[in-house]
Amino acid sequence: SSGSASAGESAPSSALARAEALFENAGDAPQLQQAIREYEALLPSAADPGAVLARLSEAHILFGAAYADGKNAKADAYTTGIRYAERAMAGNPAFRRRVEAGEPRGDASAELTRAEIRPMLFWVTGVSYYYKECLSGLGHLLQFRWMLRTRQVMERMMELDPAYEHGAVPFSLAIYFIGLPASAGRDLERSAELLAQSIADAPTSLLARWGRAKYLHVRTGDRAAFRQDLEWVLAQDPARAESPRRWNVYFQRDARELLGRI
C-alpha cells in the first residue's frame, strides 16, 4: 500500500538527514568517522546512490587531509575517496561505457554532466592530495599522466559550472598550475588569476585564501601576503563562511600551524 511505501521511504530519508547533519557539523575525526559509517549503512537502500557515493568520497578525502596520520593512512583515505568518486561518476552510462572500453577517465569526462560535478570535484581533489602528500619524486614522474587527466576533468567542470561549490572549481585548477613542474607548464600568474576568481565567486569562503597562502605564497616567497591570508582565515567564523564548516575547521587548524612555522 502507499502508506507502507511512504513509511519505508521515511526511514532511509531520516537516516540520510542524520548522516547529513553529522557530516555538516563534523569538527573532529570521531564525528567524521561516524558520518562515514552512517553513509555506508544507508548506501545499499539509498534513493540516490550517486549523492551518497559523492558524500563518501568527500568524507574520506577530508579525513585524509585533516585527520589521517602518516603517508599510508593518508594514501588509504585518498584512494578510498577516489574510488567512491569513480563509482558516483560511473552512474553516467556514457562515461561508464568509455571507461570500461579502456579510455582514460580524463578523456571520458567529456561525457560527464552537471549531475556528476560533485564527484568530479572530489575525484580531482583526491588525486591532487594523493599526488602531493603520498608520492615521492619518482612517484611524481610515474603518476604525472594522472595529473594531466585531472586537468581534463577540471576543464570540463569549468565548462559545466565554474562557480560550483563556492569557488572550488577555479581553485582546483589554480592548485594544478602551481603544482606542475616548471618544465611541464607551471604557471603562477594563471594560478593567481584563478585564485582571484575563486575569491570573487565566494568572498567569505576560507578555501581560496587558505590555499593561496599554503601553495602560491609559499612558492613565491611572499611572507607578508602569506601572513595576511592566513590571519584572515583565522579571523572568520567557521560556521558562517560559505565554505563548509567541516572543511573550515581543518583550514583554520592548518592556518594556525602554518603561521606557527614562520
Side-chain angles (χ1 to χ4, degrees), residues 21-84:
L22 269 169
F23 188 45
E24 193 61 43
N25 297 300
D28 59 30
Q31 289 173 338
L32 183 58
Q33 286 172 314
Q34 182 62 34
I36 287 172
R37 284 193 293 272
E38 303 256 344
Y39 282 128
E40 282 171 346
L42 58 88
L43 182 59
S45 62
D48 181 359
V52 179
L53 288 166
R55 285 295 200 214
L56 280 164
S57 170
E58 178 185 349
H60 281 281
I61 290 160
L62 173 56
F63 185 82
Y67 304 112
D69 204 12
K71 215 174 251 197
N72 289 345
K74 283 182 174 291
D76 187 51
Y78 296 141
T79 50
T80 303
I82 290 164
R83 280 197 299 271
Y84 275 123

Side-chain angles (χ1 to χ4, degrees), residues 172-187:
S172 300
L173 198 51
I175 300 307
Y176 169 84
F177 280 118
I178 297 166
L180 280 177
S183 59
R186 180 185 305 150
D187 189 340

Side-chain angles (χ1 to χ4, degrees), residues 20 45 49 70 156 252 256:
E20 295 276 278
S45 62
R156 179 67 181 142
Q252 289 188 324
R256 228 169 265 119

Side-chain angles (χ1 to χ4, degrees), residues 123-124 127 146-155 176:
W123 184 80
V124 163
V127 171
W146 243 33
M147 290 307 290
L148 295 177
R149 284 170 199 159
T150 68
R151 179 175 180 173
Q152 290 173 286
V153 176
M154 286 185 277
E155 286 176 344
Y176 169 84

Side-chain angles (χ1 to χ4, degrees), residues 129 165-168 171 175 195 198-215 217 226 228-256 258:
Y129 267 118
E165 193 60 21
H166 320 296
F171 173 82
I175 300 307
L195 287 163
S198 178
I199 290 167
D201 285 345
T204 70
S205 169
L206 276 55
L207 171 70
R209 285 182 180 85
W210 162 80
R212 185 165 66 179
K214 186 181 177 90
Y215 301 114
H217 299 328
F226 174 84
Q228 186 180 7
D229 271 344
L230 293 177
E231 286 175 349
W232 182 91
V233 166
L234 287 174
Q236 305 314 301
D237 178 346
R240 299 187 62 163
E242 287 166 273
S243 42
R245 182 181 182 277
R246 56 187 175 273
W247 284 93
N248 294 339
V249 170
Y250 160 57
F251 297 149
Q252 289 188 324
R253 196 182 70 224
D254 196 49
R256 228 169 265 119
L258 289 165

Side-chain angles (χ1 to χ4, degrees), residues 43 47-54 82-100 105 108-109 111-120 123:
L43 182 59
D48 181 359
V52 179
L53 288 166
I82 290 164
R83 280 197 299 271
Y84 275 123
E86 288 174 348
R87 283 175 62 187
M89 293 189 293
N92 174 309
F95 172 80
R96 187 173 65 244
R97 276 194 296 273
R98 286 179 64 169
V99 171
E100 285 172 352
R105 284 172 180 83
S109 70
E111 304 292 346
L112 293 168
T113 70
R114 178 68 176 66
E116 291 88 41
I117 196 164
R118 191 164 198 86
M120 292 167 78
W123 184 80

